[in-house]
Amino acid sequence: MPRLRTPVRLTALGCALLLAACSSKPPVPDWQMNAQAAATKATEAYLSGNSRVEQLEWERARAEVARTGRADLLARLELMRCAAQVASLVVAPCDRFEGLRPDAAAPEQAYADYLAGRVSPQQLPLLPEAQREVAALGDAATLAGIEDPLSRLVAAGVLFQSGRVSPAVMAAATDTASAQGWRRPLLAWLLVQVQRAEAAGDADTAAALRRRVGIVEQGATRVK
């Protein structure tokens, strides 16, 4: 039986931003804990399709990080937001990060390029561990090896953007979003599969997928 929705876990990159001090002995600064909580709520709200809460929590997270005056940390935060968009097949530039790119470290620049589907072989070692093998091989088998659901969806979204998505990848992404109850990426991946089925002349599969889309949309109309 699929698990009920659980709080979204931050990507490895986000953990590096918000939890780096957790292993040290001094108390974690308030801004760090507040930013972590806000970013987690914002990501969960986005994936669930709750735009109002998402916007509010991202602004709260930015305000907390801005207390440090560090553009590199703010750049990491923006990458977390863009990663959730990629997981939901939103193909758009990560504009807020790009404005901060000159101050971002090499791993963040590599991750931004990865999200945009243009990471270079030289940048692969700089990527979060969960993404490296997918970036290099780009198949469903490596995707299945990613334990974290959001990281798995991000990887699938990158494969989609780079034109390397397969039916097996689409099925894995759809199953992942469905199991977590994440309306936004689930709807996006279902619609991609509808288009593929219709293009292939598979009317029965397209109809079955559209029935699933209708169920998701019924729930989404109540959450704005």
Side-chain angles (χ1 to χ4, degrees):
M1 178 182 296
R3 292 182 300 171
L4 296 179
R5 185 193 311 165
T6 57
V8 65
R9 283 187 283 173
L10 300 178
T11 64
L13 191 71
C15 289
L17 160 64
L18 300 173
L19 300 179
C22 290
S23 61
S24 60
K25 293 182 180 180
V28 178
D30 286 345
W31 75 265
Q32 210 165 15
M33 299 302 295
N34 294 341
Q36 176 201 352
T40 301
K41 291 177 183 177
T43 303
E44 175 67 31
Y46 177 80
L47 296 171
S48 299
N50 192 330
S51 299
R52 182 184 62 82
V53 172
E54 172 219 344
Q55 293 174 7
L56 178 65
E57 294 298 336
W58 277 129
E59 289 304 318
R60 184 171 296 162
R62 290 187 186 103
E64 291 295 334
V65 175
R67 291 168 58 185
T68 68
R70 291 182 56 181
D72 60 326
L73 296 185
L74 193 58
R76 292 185 190 180
L77 183 69
E78 295 302 340
L79 285 178
M80 292 172 61
R81 182 181 64 88
C82 291
Q85 293 178 335
V86 169
S88 303
L89 302 186
V90 175
V91 181
C94 192
D95 290 334
R96 283 181 178 266
F97 170 82
E98 291 303 328
L100 298 164
R101 182 184 279 269
D103 297 304
E108 283 69 52
Q109 294 184 21
Y111 191 63
D113 291 340
Y114 170 71
L115 293 178
R118 59 171 186 264
V119 68
S120 69
Q122 294 76 20
Q123 291 175 307
L124 292 183
L126 300 175
L127 295 177
E129 184 176 356
Q131 308 294 334
R132 292 174 197 162
E133 192 172 2
V134 172
L137 301 178
D139 57 27
T142 54
L143 190 72
I146 300 178
E147 181 179 356
D148 176 62
L150 179 55
S151 294
R152 193 183 312 134
L153 281 177
V154 170
V158 170
L159 292 178
F160 176 83
Q161 288 205 74
S162 58
R164 296 186 292 166
V165 69
S166 66
V169 168
M170 288 188 287
T174 301
D175 291 345
T176 298
S178 175
Q180 298 299 314
W182 289 338
R183 293 185 183 93
R184 195 184 299 269
L186 176 57
L187 188 59
W189 284 102
L190 284 173
L191 289 174
V192 166
Q193 289 182 290
V194 168
Q195 293 174 356
R196 294 293 181 98
E198 290 178 342
D202 189 345
D204 290 342
T205 298
L209 289 166
R210 285 199 175 278
R211 288 193 293 272
R212 291 191 68 183
V213 168
I215 294 173
V216 178
E217 288 179 333
Q218 288 175 16
T221 57
R222 302 175 185 177
V223 183
K224 296 294 183 183

